[in-house]
Amino acid sequence: MNEMYLRFPGGKKKAFTISYDDNVTQDERLIDLMERYGIKGTFNIIPGWFAKEGSVFPPEETYINVTEKKALDLYKNEWVEVANHGFNHTKMTTLPGPLLIDDILKCREKLETMYHSVITGFAYPYGWYDHSLMHLLEEAGISYARTVCSTCEFQLPDNWMELNPTCHHDEPRLSELADRFLNDNVSEQPYMFYVWGHTFEFDRNDNWDVIETLFERVSGREEEIWYATNGEICEYHRAYQRLVASVGGHHIYNPSSLDLWAEIDHRLVLIPAGKTTSF
C-alpha cells in the first residue's frame, strides 16, 4: 500500500454541510429550503433562551428566539441535527470549570430529554474557546465543537474539538468557493464544504437569496456529494481514523459499526462494518 484516502459513503469525494446558531424564528424558513433542496445541517440550540409562550415583540425586531414548543416541532426533522450551544450561551472561557461543566451538561440533558436522542455536537458561544474548554467538552461527552474561524478551504479537521468551518454565508468569496468545491478534481484528501451563520442575519441584511442560490448550486449531485449533518461527518471520519491495517498493508480491519470507503492505490475499496477487508 502506497497511499490511502478517506472516501465518503458510496465512495464520494465531497461532503456539504451547514450549521446555524441560536434557535431563532427564521430557522423555519431555512429548514424549508433544506427540505426543498435536499440539504442536511446542524442547529445549535440554547435552551435557556427559549421565548416564553405568548411573548410579544416589536414588529421591527429580527432576533426572536423560538419557544420550547416550537423548537420541539421545528428541529425534530430528518434534515436536522440538534447540537449544544450552551444552556445560557455564556462566555465560557471567562468561567471556572465547575460552572462550565454545569452549563454544558445542563444543555445536553435538556436537549436529550426533548428529542429523545444523544446530543454530542457543540458550537462555541460567541466563538470563544481555549484548550481547557476543549478538554472539558471531551469530558462532558462532546464529540465535536465548531468555531467561527473561517478557513476558506475544504479540509476535514485534525481535531474535531476545533472544527473550523469553510466560511460564514456572508463571506464575499462564497460564490468562488462554491465554484472550487464543485469543479475541483479531488484526487487525494476529500473535501468538506462547511457554511455557518445565524438565520436572523438573512432578514437583517435582506439577502435570503445568498443561501438559496448556494443551495441551488450545490444540490442535486448525490452521485458525487454527500449531504450530511456535522455529526454524521464527524462520526464517519472518527470511524475511519480507527481503521486498523496489517503490518504488510494487505488487510484492513474496521472495528466500527459503519461501512467505510477508502481509495487505496487508486482503487476504491469498501471496508464493511466489523469486517476485515483484504486486497
Side-chain angles (χ1 to χ4, degrees):
M1 182 194 306
N2 293 313
E3 55 185 350
M4 174 175 168
Y5 301 107
L6 176 150
R7 294 296 175 248
F8 296 120
K12 298 168 187 174
K13 299 179 179 181
K14 299 176 182 180
F16 180 79
T17 193
I18 62 172
S19 178
Y20 278 80
D21 299 353
D22 293 6
N23 42 278
V24 289
T25 54
Q26 294 90 340
D27 288 354
E28 184 167 19
R29 181 170 174 179
L30 182 64
I31 292 171
D32 286 343
L33 290 174
M34 291 164 65
E35 292 176 339
R36 186 188 312 170
Y37 290 102
I39 303 297
K40 298 182 76 172
T42 299
F43 287 81
N44 304 296
I45 309 300
I46 312 165
W49 284 12
F50 287 143
K52 293 181 180 179
E53 294 291 342
S55 296
V56 177
F57 300 91
E60 67 276 10
E61 180 58 67
T62 57
Y63 189 97
I64 300 172
N65 298 109
V66 298
T67 64
E68 181 174 340
K69 181 179 178 182
K70 181 64 176 180
L72 185 59
D73 175 66
L74 181 61
Y75 304 112
K76 198 171 184 179
N77 184 298
E78 65 177 310
W79 303 99
V80 169
E81 173 198 17
V82 169
N84 188 324
H85 203 26
F87 192 87
N88 286 305
H89 202 267
T90 60
K91 293 179 178 176
M92 290 188 166
T93 55
T94 70
L95 299 178
L99 293 181
L100 293 177
I101 287 289
D102 179 68
D103 189 83
I104 295 161
L105 292 180
K106 189 176 178 182
C107 185
R108 266 198 72 182
E109 183 177 24
K110 177 63 176 180
L111 296 177
E112 289 175 347
T113 299
M114 286 179 63
Y115 296 101
H116 303 286
S117 61
V118 178
I119 308 292
T120 65
F122 189 85
Y124 294 108
Y126 304 103
W128 292 20
Y129 71 101
D130 57 24
H131 289 291
S132 295
L133 177 53
M134 291 162 68
H135 176 70
L136 285 173
L137 287 169
E138 289 178 317
E139 291 295 310
I142 298 299
S143 60
Y144 73 85
R146 195 214 75 216
T147 76
V148 296
C149 304
S150 296
T151 65
C152 290
E153 297 295 341
F154 308 115
Q155 69 269 27
L156 292 168
D158 294 325
N159 179 1
W160 278 93
M161 303 311 294
E162 194 172 16
L163 172 55
N164 297 321
T166 303
C167 66
H168 186 278
H169 64 247
D170 278 336
E171 164 61 47
R173 291 173 290 173
L174 182 64
S175 180
E176 174 190 329
L177 289 168
D179 283 341
R180 281 177 49 203
F181 176 71
L182 295 173
N183 297 327
D184 277 6
N185 180 22
V186 177
S187 60
E188 296 180 350
Q189 300 294 352
Y191 276 14
M192 176 182 68
F193 189 9
Y194 185 146
V195 177
W196 80 283
H198 306 83
T199 56
F200 73 85
E201 295 165 327
F202 294 122
D203 277 355
R204 245 176 225 187
N205 298 325
D206 191 24
N207 66 347
W208 277 97
D209 60 298
V210 167
I211 197 68
E212 184 161 8
T213 298
L214 179 65
F215 284 2
E216 286 177 341
R217 293 186 66 188
V218 303
S219 64
R221 297 171 178 250
E222 286 79 8
E223 72 286 349
E224 59 179 310
I225 299 174
W226 183 31
Y227 305 100
T229 66
N230 296 189
E232 287 172 332
I233 298 173
C234 174
E235 183 183 18
Y236 189 91
H237 188 211
R238 285 181 176 273
Y240 179 85
Q241 291 174 318
R242 294 196 299 271
L243 289 173
V244 181
S246 65
V247 173
H250 299 295
H251 314 284
I252 297 180
Y253 170 55
N254 177 3
S256 79
S257 60
L258 298 176
D259 289 345
L260 301 172
W261 292 79
E263 187 171 330
I264 303 172
D265 295 339
H266 307 290
R267 174 187 170 193
L268 193 60
V269 177
L270 169 63
I271 311 167
K275 302 290 185 181
T276 296
T277 299
S278 301
F279 53 92

